[in-house]
Amino acid sequence: MSSFLSPLVVTPMPDGRKWKLVRPFTYHVGSLQSKTKIIVKAGFITDFASVPSQLWWLIPPWGTYGKAAVVHDWLYHQQIFTRGISDYIFYEAMGVLRVPQWKRLLMFWAVRLFGRVTWKERKK
């Protein structure tokens, strides 16, 4: 079963919108038989959920989905899986965190529809 294997420890950056991981952060992907683990390295900088500020009233940058957003940011940064798999892992991780289904679907479809630009920027 998917699970977060370590606590998320971050410190704010001077801009007040980004955060830096103080320690490595690990997420186990998929079933108990899966050996796939995602290790987000200390020093990685995240903005948690990349939501336009006009929509923060509905989906703020930080919420119960915060750990999943950090994993997703890392996956887009590293591109170790396809974009589709990375987005699905985000959806799965939000489920582990018991994010309500409507919010998981909204956030999943947002990254599917609008994440392409960020993915391509990271490929450079």
Side-chain angles (χ1 to χ4, degrees):
M1 175 175 209
S2 302
S3 60
F4 291 92
L5 303 176
S6 57
L8 176 60
V9 181
V10 295
T11 189
M13 299 297 292
D15 67 4
R17 294 189 66 170
K18 293 187 180 129
W19 298 78
K20 184 183 205 177
L21 270 71
V22 174
R23 292 192 290 206
F25 175 61
T26 306
Y27 176 69
H28 178 245
V29 179
S31 69
L32 290 173
Q33 294 77 23
S34 167
K35 293 188 184 345
T36 305
K37 291 180 185 166
I38 296 165
I39 302 169
V40 183
K41 293 183 180 178
F44 179 68
I45 296 173
T46 181
D47 65 352
F48 289 99
S50 305
V51 178
S53 58
Q54 305 91 314
L55 299 175
W56 286 1
W57 63 272
L58 179 62
I59 306 286
W62 174 258
T64 53
Y65 43 80
K67 291 178 179 181
V70 172
V71 169
H72 190 250
D73 282 358
W74 177 256
L75 292 174
Y76 265 49
H77 186 265
Q78 295 296 309
Q79 298 192 355
I80 52 179
F81 301 108
T82 65
R83 183 173 157 252
I85 290 172
S86 298
D87 293 347
Y88 181 76
I89 291 169
F90 176 51
Y91 178 79
E92 173 194 84
M94 286 190 290
V96 170
L97 296 167
R98 301 195 192 296
V99 173
Q101 179 72 9
W102 71 267
K103 196 175 281 188
R104 285 174 32 208
L105 286 170
L106 178 68
M107 295 179 77
F108 172 77
W109 283 109
V111 296
R112 290 305 301 146
L113 293 171
F114 303 110
R116 177 175 279 119
V117 172
T118 302
W119 183 267
K120 286 183 178 181
E121 286 174 359
R122 297 284 188 235
K123 241 183 180 170
K124 294 177 183 177

